[in-house]
Amino acid sequence: MRTILLTILLCCVFPVSAGGTLKAVMSNDQTPLIQSHRINVVINNGFARTEVEQVFSNPNEHAIEAIYAVPVPQSAALSELSIFLGDMELQGEVLERDKAEELYQKEREQGRDAGIASKDAFDTFHFRVSPVPSMGESRFRYVYYQPIDIDTSVGRYVYPLEEGGTDEVAEQFWTRNEHVSGVFEFDLLIKSSWPISSIRIPGFSDAVQSKGNDGSHHIQIKRSEHDLTSDIVVYYQLEENLPSRVEFLAYRPEASADGTFMMVVTPGLDLKELNQGADYVFVLDYSGSMQDKLSTMQRGIEQTLGKMNSNDRFRIVRFGNQASELIGWTQASPKQIESAMSRLSKSSTIGGTNIYEGLSMGLEKLDQDRVTSLILVTDGVANVGLVEPQAFHQLMTTVDIRVFGFLMGNNSNWPLMRTITQASGGFYKGVSNSDDIVGQVLLAKSKITHECLHDASLEIKGINTYGVNNEFLNKVYRGQQLVFFGRYTKPGQARISLKARLSGADKTYQTEFDFPEVAVDHPELERLWALMRIEHAEDMHNAGLMDEAESESLVKALGLEFQLVTDETSMVVMGDDQFEQYGIDRNNRNRVMLERQAQLTRSQAPIVSPRVDRKKPMFDLPAPSLGGGALDPIHLLLAVVLALGVFIHLRQKS
Amino acid sequence: MNSVRVGCLLGTLLLSACLATYYSALADLLILDRSAVFEGQLWRIVSGHLVHLSDAHLLWDCSVFSVLTFLLHCLDRRLVAGVLTSSALVIGLAVVLFIPQVSHYGGLSGICCALFMAIVTVLRLQVQGPMKWVVNIATLAFVAKIIAELFSQTTLFVDPDPTWISLPQVHIAGGLAGTAWAYLFLTKDRLRSKLSLNFGRRGQFN
């Protein structure tokens, strides 16, 4: 009975947490212990594969169900869940959410080994494994993929662990064990075809870095115990003055199948600094959930204000349950900035999160003659006032202002932030408490204070493509990398055009390259493309361009076809016999087999540059770091021919 | 320059190229760094040729350089030092003055092109009959290779480093430098011998 009650509650209340095992407050059981936690990350060719393996132990005198929850990493495609019984691996399959839950419960009640992975909106991945035998252990592993973009030559990878603090109801219901009593290992391999000048892992001074002969970089953190309470953020900086470029990866298993591609455009653009004074409105979240993030936010604001020119102006609006203007339009002189920071530091958090009212107030009192940017800093969980994304979309389309969003911490509502910033042509960034806040501010500042490309659009001609995420492109900022996913029906030479307006003039940047007939190295691209389509469906729904039923149906179809854990689908793990008995196809097992084979092949191959516009660069090259002539076997052959000539000539002469 | 000297010079240059490629501190000191040249570090115009950017780059450059230096030495040992020095200067200056988008330059390939064209020039002046055809074909093949590089902006076999752009222009500069030096040097000898003949005749008249 207690188990049933717990299950019902689990379904009703989404558990949020830092990385850690959970148990209901009312339960008399002891929380499962985390014996070991191993994270293995490979960043290669623009996307990261994160594999987490964890061993639980059960200190109770009866078998229990272990529940583990982690914040959802941004744009993560959860694709594998496995439970290990000794050396045997039980792999999961993605099913409709309700069906997966029903089968898991059925297996669990019959005492058979089973597991389930589900996703709660933007918030939490939770994993349940049953049974963990009394005084025994249970080992499980999950894998997710996510695209990694490079901003102004800086790549950033986050392994989220820190509690977002955005769901008070769940926090009151669950108690958590975040402590790893045994081995904690973080192993990250960066295989970059561009040279990396430095790597930084804030807060982990014991991280060991090494460089492989093939130019790859390896970072390792190993501890005998660890608390899963703070994020691991890894920055890697590429060398300066690298050429602008187009990089392209494709997956097309056979000539008769549709192909999937990922194209990363790193523009080299002459975007001039905006020297005339500009206006900045800061709209700051002072709701209760921001309590632990206030100091990070205030540091960020101080850094941003400190970088302003004296002819800039700023204004600060704060919001909790209601919005209020903390500081009206003020010239950005050192004295005024100091006074503003003093007032900010005295502000404390209170109540709920009324983002809509905060934004509405931020959009007031704008001077039409000055360029204005609105900087929204929040954890993004709107729970007071208007909360529907459609309302935000409508609000932002009524004014011509760029909104730059900073999402603080994990469990943040980044789909909502994406809606807000896309509608205004701005951008958003996640900011962890473990982040180099100064670095993040500087990156954002360089975008805000420079020209950007307007009305940008991407065209692919010469081949048939579909499902390309080029609808919300609009503006391209300094240092911004553009990541496109799509599918194509026929191979051949494609002409890629990026059209935009810069300083009032039309600009077209073009290149040409081949979409391959067969390419088998990156099967993971299919899942990443499907994830992009899922996010696109959410965006369309948030913008009021797609109704909820249609969006859910699309998400479900994509989740099932490409075996992704989504809001509509979950991954259930059970024995092979059980899958057969229930008549469930092993789609995910087949995908995983292909992906592992490709990963093995890639791990043994040298790093290959995916650049495709070398022959016909899309952009004017900025100063490259290195240049030179190169000789090859043809030159050596010519030299040998010449040697023969010289030899004959010298013999004749003598 | 006698054989021992040429052997020593070749050995020294190859060893220096290896050291400059594998010791980053030495590479930093020697590479043709545009801004450093403008700050007065003029040795980089010449020393930059010793720095290579990868194993493959070093391997091919040094292989071709060794063969061609040996051939030129066999043909006319007096030309070796002059071709090496003049081409190193001409290529370095060409990079600094005419290729401003390149901030750093390295590699022996330009000098190899100078050696190649110097050999071709010597042969063209010395050989006759069917051998002339062999020389002409080799010259045409060399020019075609440079044109192909100009269009493709890459080499055929050496895996391009993504940080580094191929500069066939330096091959043109090297080829012109080698041709010019060999031609002037050899025709200067002919001119001098012609002049001395004329002076002798005049003396006879006197």
Side-chain angles (χ1 to χ4, degrees), chain A residues 361-411:
Chain A
M361 185 171 281
L363 296 174
E364 293 169 2
K365 301 181 184 174
L366 302 182
D367 185 340
Q368 299 301 325
D369 296 333
R370 290 171 69 92
V371 177
T372 308
S373 301
L374 187 147
I375 296 147
L376 171 64
V377 187
T378 176
D379 58 17
V381 183
N383 52 21
V384 177
L386 282 172
V387 296
E388 292 79 21
Q390 292 87 342
F392 285 90
H393 180 81
Q394 207 168 0
L395 175 70
M396 296 319 304
T397 47
T398 57
V399 285
D400 182 19
I401 184 171
R402 293 186 295 185
V403 175
F404 304 101
F406 290 91
L407 270 175
M408 305 295 295
N410 300 314
N411 312 109

Coordinates of all heavy atoms in Angstrom, one line a residue, chain A residues 361-411:
Chain A
M361 N 7.0 46.3 -17.5 CA 7.5 47.6 -16.9 C 8.8 47.9 -17.6 O 9.1 49.1 -17.8 CB 7.7 47.4 -15.4 CG 8.1 48.7 -14.8 SD 8.0 48.7 -13.0 CE 6.3 48.9 -12.7
G362 N 9.6 46.9 -17.9 CA 10.9 47.2 -18.5 C 10.7 47.8 -19.9 O 11.6 48.6 -20.3
L363 N 9.6 47.5 -20.6 CA 9.4 48.0 -21.9 C 8.8 49.4 -21.9 O 8.6 50.0 -23.0 CB 8.5 47.1 -22.7 CG 9.0 45.7 -22.9 CD1 8.0 44.8 -23.6 CD2 10.3 45.7 -23.8
E364 N 8.6 50.0 -20.7 CA 8.0 51.4 -20.6 C 9.2 52.3 -20.7 O 10.4 52.0 -20.5 CB 7.3 51.5 -19.3 CG 6.0 50.7 -19.2 CD 5.4 50.7 -17.8 OE1 6.0 51.4 -16.9 OE2 4.4 50.0 -17.6
K365 N 8.8 53.6 -20.9 CA 9.8 54.7 -20.9 C 11.0 54.6 -21.8 O 12.1 54.9 -21.5 CB 10.3 54.9 -19.4 CG 9.3 55.2 -18.4 CD 9.9 55.4 -17.0 CE 8.9 55.6 -15.9 NZ 9.5 55.6 -14.6
L366 N 10.7 54.0 -23.0 CA 11.8 53.8 -23.9 C 12.0 55.1 -24.8 O 11.0 55.7 -25.1 CB 11.6 52.6 -24.9 CG 11.4 51.3 -24.2 CD1 11.2 50.2 -25.3 CD2 12.6 50.9 -23.3
D367 N 13.3 55.4 -25.0 CA 13.6 56.6 -25.9 C 13.8 56.1 -27.3 O 14.7 55.3 -27.6 CB 14.8 57.3 -25.4 CG 15.2 58.5 -26.1 OD1 14.6 58.7 -27.2 OD2 15.9 59.3 -25.6
Q368 N 12.8 56.5 -28.2 CA 12.9 55.9 -29.6 C 14.1 56.3 -30.3 O 14.5 55.7 -31.3 CB 11.6 56.4 -30.4 CG 10.3 56.0 -29.8 CD 10.2 54.5 -29.7 OE1 10.6 53.7 -30.5 NE2 9.5 54.0 -28.6
D369 N 14.8 57.4 -29.9 CA 16.0 57.9 -30.6 C 17.3 57.2 -30.2 O 18.3 57.5 -30.7 CB 16.1 59.4 -30.4 CG 15.0 60.2 -31.0 OD1 14.4 59.6 -31.9 OD2 14.6 61.2 -30.4
R370 N 17.2 56.3 -29.2 CA 18.4 55.6 -28.7 C 18.2 54.1 -28.9 O 17.1 53.6 -28.7 CB 18.7 56.0 -27.2 CG 19.1 57.4 -27.0 CD 19.2 57.8 -25.6 NE 20.2 57.1 -24.9 CZ 21.5 57.6 -24.7 NH1 21.8 58.8 -25.2 NH2 22.4 56.9 -24.0
V371 N 19.3 53.4 -29.2 CA 19.3 52.0 -29.3 C 19.2 51.4 -27.9 O 19.9 51.7 -27.0 CB 20.6 51.4 -29.9 CG1 20.6 49.9 -29.9 CG2 20.8 52.0 -31.3
T372 N 18.1 50.6 -27.7 CA 17.9 50.1 -26.3 C 17.9 48.6 -26.3 O 17.4 47.9 -27.2 CB 16.5 50.5 -25.8 OG1 16.4 51.9 -26.0 CG2 16.3 50.2 -24.4
S373 N 18.6 48.0 -25.3 CA 18.6 46.6 -25.1 C 18.0 46.3 -23.7 O 18.2 47.0 -22.8 CB 20.0 46.0 -25.1 OG 20.6 46.3 -26.4
L374 N 17.2 45.2 -23.7 CA 16.7 44.8 -22.4 C 17.4 43.5 -21.9 O 17.5 42.6 -22.7 CB 15.2 44.6 -22.5 CG 14.4 44.3 -21.2 CD1 13.0 44.9 -21.3 CD2 14.3 42.9 -20.8
I375 N 17.9 43.6 -20.7 CA 18.6 42.4 -20.2 C 17.8 41.8 -19.1 O 17.5 42.4 -18.0 CB 20.0 42.8 -19.6 CG1 20.8 43.3 -20.8 CG2 20.7 41.7 -19.0 CD1 21.8 44.4 -20.5
L376 N 17.3 40.6 -19.3 CA 16.4 39.9 -18.4 C 17.2 38.9 -17.7 O 17.7 38.0 -18.3 CB 15.2 39.3 -19.2 CG 14.3 38.4 -18.4 CD1 13.5 39.1 -17.3 CD2 13.2 37.7 -19.4
V377 N 17.2 39.0 -16.3 CA 17.9 37.9 -15.6 C 16.9 37.2 -14.7 O 16.3 37.9 -13.8 CB 19.1 38.6 -14.7 CG1 19.9 37.5 -14.0 CG2 19.9 39.5 -15.6
T378 N 16.8 36.0 -14.8 CA 15.7 35.2 -14.1 C 16.0 33.8 -14.1 O 16.9 33.3 -14.8 CB 14.3 35.5 -14.8 OG1 13.4 34.7 -14.1 CG2 14.3 35.1 -16.2
D379 N 15.3 33.0 -13.2 CA 15.4 31.6 -13.3 C 14.3 31.0 -14.2 O 14.1 29.8 -14.4 CB 15.4 30.9 -11.9 CG 14.2 31.2 -11.1 OD1 13.2 31.7 -11.6 OD2 14.3 31.0 -9.9
G380 N 13.5 32.0 -14.7 CA 12.6 31.7 -15.7 C 11.3 30.9 -15.4 O 10.5 30.5 -16.3
V381 N 11.0 30.6 -14.1 CA 9.8 29.9 -13.8 C 8.7 30.8 -13.4 O 8.5 31.2 -12.2 CB 10.1 28.9 -12.7 CG1 8.9 28.0 -12.4 CG2 11.3 28.0 -13.1
A382 N 8.0 31.3 -14.4 CA 6.9 32.3 -14.2 C 5.8 31.6 -13.4 O 5.3 30.5 -13.9 CB 6.4 32.8 -15.5
N383 N 5.4 32.1 -12.3 CA 4.3 31.4 -11.5 C 3.3 32.4 -11.0 O 2.4 32.0 -10.3 CB 4.8 30.5 -10.4 CG 5.8 31.3 -9.5 OD1 5.8 32.5 -9.5 ND2 6.7 30.5 -8.8
V384 N 3.4 33.7 -11.3 CA 2.5 34.7 -10.9 C 2.1 35.6 -12.1 O 3.0 35.8 -12.9 CB 3.1 35.6 -9.8 CG1 2.1 36.7 -9.4 CG2 3.5 34.8 -8.5
G385 N 0.8 36.0 -12.2 CA 0.4 36.8 -13.3 C 0.3 36.0 -14.5 O 0.0 34.8 -14.5
L386 N 0.5 36.7 -15.7 CA 0.4 35.9 -17.0 C 1.6 35.0 -17.1 O 2.7 35.4 -16.9 CB 0.4 36.9 -18.1 CG -1.0 37.6 -18.4 CD1 -0.8 38.7 -19.4 CD2 -2.0 36.6 -18.8
V387 N 1.3 33.7 -17.3 CA 2.4 32.7 -17.4 C 2.4 32.0 -18.8 O 3.4 31.3 -19.0 CB 2.3 31.7 -16.3 CG1 2.5 32.3 -14.9 CG2 1.0 30.9 -16.3
E388 N 1.4 32.2 -19.6 CA 1.4 31.5 -20.9 C 2.4 32.1 -21.8 O 2.5 33.3 -22.0 CB 0.0 31.6 -21.6 CG -1.1 31.0 -20.8 CD -1.7 31.8 -19.7 OE1 -1.4 33.0 -19.6 OE2 -2.3 31.2 -18.7
P389 N 3.2 31.2 -22.4 CA 4.2 31.6 -23.4 C 3.7 32.5 -24.5 O 4.4 33.4 -25.0 CB 4.8 30.3 -23.9 CG 4.5 29.3 -22.9 CD 3.2 29.7 -22.3
Q390 N 2.5 32.2 -24.9 CA 1.9 33.0 -26.0 C 1.7 34.4 -25.7 O 1.9 35.3 -26.5 CB 0.5 32.4 -26.4 CG 0.5 31.0 -27.0 CD 0.5 29.9 -26.0 OE1 0.8 30.1 -24.8 NE2 0.1 28.7 -26.5
A391 N 1.4 34.7 -24.4 CA 1.3 36.1 -23.9 C 2.7 36.8 -24.0 O 2.7 38.0 -24.4 CB 0.8 36.1 -22.5
F392 N 3.7 36.1 -23.7 CA 5.1 36.7 -23.8 C 5.4 37.0 -25.2 O 6.0 38.0 -25.5 CB 6.1 35.7 -23.1 CG 6.0 35.7 -21.6 CD1 5.2 34.8 -21.0 CD2 6.8 36.6 -20.9 CE1 5.2 34.8 -19.6 CE2 6.7 36.6 -19.5 CZ 5.9 35.7 -18.8
H393 N 5.1 36.0 -26.1 CA 5.4 36.2 -27.5 C 4.7 37.4 -28.0 O 5.3 38.2 -28.7 CB 5.0 34.9 -28.3 CG 5.2 35.0 -29.7 ND1 6.5 34.7 -30.3 CD2 4.4 35.4 -30.8 CE1 6.4 34.9 -31.6 NE2 5.2 35.3 -31.9
Q394 N 3.5 37.6 -27.7 CA 2.7 38.7 -28.1 C 3.3 40.0 -27.6 O 3.4 41.0 -28.3 CB 1.2 38.6 -27.7 CG 0.3 39.3 -28.6 CD -1.2 38.9 -28.3 OE1 -1.4 38.0 -27.4 NE2 -2.1 39.4 -29.0
L395 N 3.6 40.0 -26.3 CA 4.2 41.2 -25.7 C 5.5 41.7 -26.5 O 5.7 42.9 -26.7 CB 4.5 41.0 -24.2 CG 5.2 42.1 -23.5 CD1 4.3 43.3 -23.3 CD2 5.7 41.6 -22.1
M396 N 6.3 40.7 -26.8 CA 7.6 41.0 -27.4 C 7.5 41.5 -28.8 O 8.4 42.2 -29.3 CB 8.6 39.9 -27.3 CG 9.0 39.4 -25.9 SD 9.3 40.8 -24.7 CE 10.5 41.7 -25.6
T397 N 6.4 41.1 -29.5 CA 6.3 41.5 -30.9 C 5.7 42.9 -31.0 O 5.6 43.4 -32.1 CB 5.4 40.4 -31.7 OG1 4.2 40.2 -30.9 CG2 6.1 39.1 -31.9
T398 N 5.3 43.5 -29.9 CA 4.7 44.8 -30.0 C 5.8 45.9 -30.0 O 5.5 47.0 -30.3 CB 3.7 45.1 -28.8 OG1 4.5 44.9 -27.6 CG2 2.5 44.1 -28.9
V399 N 7.0 45.6 -29.6 CA 8.0 46.6 -29.5 C 9.3 46.2 -30.3 O 9.5 45.0 -30.4 CB 8.4 46.9 -28.0 CG1 7.4 47.7 -27.3 CG2 8.7 45.6 -27.3
D400 N 10.1 47.2 -30.7 CA 11.3 46.9 -31.4 C 12.5 47.0 -30.4 O 13.0 48.1 -30.3 CB 11.5 47.8 -32.6 CG 12.7 47.4 -33.4 OD1 13.2 46.3 -33.2 OD2 13.2 48.3 -34.1
I401 N 12.8 46.0 -29.7 CA 13.8 46.0 -28.7 C 14.5 44.7 -28.6 O 13.8 43.6 -28.8 CB 13.2 46.5 -27.3 CG1 14.3 46.6 -26.3 CG2 12.2 45.5 -26.8 CD1 13.8 47.3 -25.0
R402 N 15.8 44.7 -28.4 CA 16.4 43.4 -28.3 C 16.4 42.9 -26.9 O 16.8 43.7 -26.0 CB 17.9 43.5 -28.8 CG 18.0 43.7 -30.3 CD 19.4 43.7 -30.8 NE 20.2 44.8 -30.2 CZ 21.4 45.0 -30.6 NH1 22.0 44.2 -31.5 NH2 22.1 46.0 -30.1
V403 N 16.0 41.7 -26.6 CA 16.0 41.1 -25.3 C 17.1 40.1 -25.2 O 17.2 39.2 -26.0 CB 14.7 40.5 -24.9 CG1 14.7 39.8 -23.5 CG2 13.6 41.6 -24.9
F404 N 18.0 40.3 -24.2 CA 19.0 39.3 -23.9 C 18.7 38.7 -22.6 O 18.6 39.3 -21.5 CB 20.4 40.0 -23.9 CG 20.6 40.7 -25.2 CD1 20.5 42.1 -25.2 CD2 21.0 40.1 -26.3 CE1 20.7 42.8 -26.4 CE2 21.2 40.7 -27.5 CZ 21.1 42.1 -27.6
G405 N 18.5 37.4 -22.6 CA 18.1 36.7 -21.4 C 19.2 35.9 -20.7 O 20.1 35.3 -21.4
F406 N 19.3 36.0 -19.4 CA 20.3 35.2 -18.7 C 19.5 34.3 -17.7 O 18.8 34.8 -16.8 CB 21.2 36.1 -17.9 CG 22.2 36.8 -18.8 CD1 21.9 38.0 -19.2 CD2 23.4 36.2 -19.2 CE1 22.7 38.7 -20.1 CE2 24.2 36.8 -20.0 CZ 23.9 38.1 -20.5
L407 N 19.6 33.0 -17.9 CA 18.9 32.1 -17.1 C 19.8 31.6 -16.0 O 20.8 30.9 -16.2 CB 18.5 30.9 -18.0 CG 17.1 31.0 -18.6 CD1 16.9 29.8 -19.5 CD2 16.0 31.0 -17.6
M408 N 19.4 31.9 -14.8 CA 20.2 31.5 -13.6 C 19.9 30.1 -13.1 O 18.8 29.8 -12.8 CB 20.0 32.5 -12.5 CG 20.1 34.0 -12.9 SD 21.8 34.4 -13.3 CE 22.6 34.1 -11.8
G409 N 21.0 29.3 -13.0 CA 20.8 28.0 -12.4 C 20.1 27.0 -13.2 O 19.7 27.2 -14.4
N410 N 19.9 25.8 -12.6 CA 19.3 24.7 -13.3 C 17.8 24.8 -13.1 O 17.3 25.6 -12.3 CB 19.9 23.4 -12.9 CG 21.3 23.3 -13.2 OD1 21.7 23.7 -14.3 ND2 22.2 23.0 -12.2
N411 N 17.0 23.8 -13.6 CA 15.6 23.7 -13.5 C 14.9 25.0 -14.0 O 13.9 25.4 -13.5 CB 15.1 23.5 -12.0 CG 15.9 22.3 -11.4 OD1 16.7 22.6 -10.5 ND2 15.7 21.1 -11.8

